[in-house]
């Protein structure tokens, strides 16, 4: 069975006990999943929301409460949910200048999330928030100009190399995409050599540019 070029962003959930020690572990799990999904731009905000939603359960429902963290994509929004069995202890938002510490966690969620709310079920409640992510390409990558250009080029290159495959057809499988990229790089190296350029020097320059652009994007987040 062929695999897609990017891991599908399928909903995932994890059961946990609402204890302070669990918060750090849940933050790490969130980061790992978002990095796999390519959603580096919302990692910090998502981790903050997880911390506050879980802490809200600990504070208002009680330590040791069995709960569940569920994460999914809803269009261009990352949706974070925390399920707990107490349908009456509703989260509230207090002004950051208020004397009471209660409610300040949800004020942070309110500040960083695009929207949030509470769903009441017969036997539990769901406190949720959503964060806007960068627009994505059909293959699930962040909308980085270089990625878009590369995917467009690969579709045309694959169509030229395999006449039976039309440009703009469905996304390439991971195996075909990798072989197409290697073939394209090889052809460009032949082109450089045919025009009197040093292939190794061209690879070094490309690597340096890639690393510089990657570092610049990370600083901009």
């Amino acid at each position: 069975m062929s695999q897609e070029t990017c891991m599908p962003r399928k909903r995932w959930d994890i059961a946990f006990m609402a204890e302070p020690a669990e918060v750090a572990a849940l933050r790490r799990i969130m980061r790992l999943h978002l990095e796999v999904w390519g959603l580096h731009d919302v990692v910090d905000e998502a981790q903050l929301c997880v911390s506050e939603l879980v802490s809200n359960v600990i504070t208002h429902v009680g330590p040791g409460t069995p709960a569940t963290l569920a994460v999914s994509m809803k269009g261009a929004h990352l949706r974070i949910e925390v399920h707990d069995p107490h349908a009456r202890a509703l989260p509230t938002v207090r002004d950051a200048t208020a004397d009471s510490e209660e409610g300040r966690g949800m004020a942070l969620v309110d500040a960083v999330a695009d929207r949030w709310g509470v769903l009441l079920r017969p036997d539990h409640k769901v406190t949720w928030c959503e964060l806007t992510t960068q627009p994505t390409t059909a293959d699930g990558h962040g909308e980085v100009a270089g990625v878009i250009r590369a995917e467009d080029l690969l579709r045309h290159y694959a169509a030229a190399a395999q006449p039976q495959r039309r440009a703009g057809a469905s996304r390439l499988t991971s195996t075909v995409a990798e072989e197409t990229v290697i073939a394209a790089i090889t052809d460009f190296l032949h082109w450089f050599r045919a025009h009197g350029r040093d292939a190794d020097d061209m690879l070094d320059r490309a690597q340096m540019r890639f690393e510089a652009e990657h570092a610049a994007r990370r600083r901009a987040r």
Side-chain angles (χ1 to χ4, degrees):
M1 180 181 295
S2 63
Q3 296 179 339
E4 302 296 342
T5 57
C6 184
M7 178 175 289
R9 294 173 179 173
K10 295 181 179 179
R11 174 189 171 96
W12 60 272
D13 56 68
I14 182 171
F16 65 94
M17 300 298 287
E19 299 283 358
E22 289 291 302
V23 175
L26 292 171
R27 285 172 58 90
R28 287 194 296 272
I29 292 171
M30 174 63 80
R31 174 177 288 277
L32 289 173
H33 274 86
L34 295 188
E35 288 178 347
V36 169
W37 283 0
L39 299 178
H40 306 278
D41 58 306
V42 294
V43 167
D44 292 340
E45 292 85 352
Q47 287 186 310
L48 184 149
C49 289
V50 167
S51 296
E52 301 308 331
L53 293 179
V54 173
S55 296
N56 185 72
V57 176
I58 297 171
T59 301
H60 297 286
V61 182
T65 299
T68 300
L69 170 66
V71 181
S72 60
M73 292 300 297
K74 186 178 179 181
H77 289 85
L78 175 72
R79 184 178 177 91
I80 302 169
E81 301 176 353
V82 171
H83 301 234
D84 74 71
H86 201 310
R88 294 185 179 180
L90 302 181
T92 59
V93 177
R94 292 183 183 272
D95 188 86
T97 61
D99 294 333
S100 174
E101 292 296 322
E102 295 183 1
R104 290 197 180 186
M106 294 311 299
L108 291 175
V109 172
D110 186 62
V112 302
D114 291 274
R115 48 184 176 259
W116 71 275
V118 181
L119 299 175
L120 298 180
R121 305 303 189 197
D123 58 347
H124 72 285
K125 75 171 180 289
V126 180
T127 308
W128 61 270
C129 67
E130 292 180 357
L131 301 169
T132 299
T133 65
Q134 290 182 356
T136 57
T137 66
D139 290 318
H141 297 287
E143 184 114 2
V144 177
V147 175
I148 298 173
R149 290 195 300 269
E151 289 181 348
D152 187 55
L153 176 62
L154 285 177
R155 282 192 292 270
H156 288 287
Y157 191 94
Q162 305 174 38
Q164 72 276 14
R165 179 186 180 84
R166 72 182 189 280
S170 59
R171 68 188 69 171
L172 301 176
T173 65
S174 58
T175 300
V176 173
E178 289 174 5
E179 291 302 318
T180 303
V181 169
I182 292 171
I185 293 173
T186 302
D187 285 350
F188 279 122
L189 292 178
H190 283 306
W191 186 90
F192 280 130
R193 178 163 294 177
H195 288 77
R197 305 294 194 276
D198 184 272
D200 289 335
D201 181 54
M202 296 299 104
L203 284 175
D204 288 342
R205 289 172 59 183
Q207 180 69 23
M208 290 174 62
R209 176 176 293 186
F210 167 76
E211 291 176 352
E213 292 179 355
H214 181 67
R217 285 198 300 271
R218 290 184 65 87
R219 287 195 299 269
R221 290 177 188 140

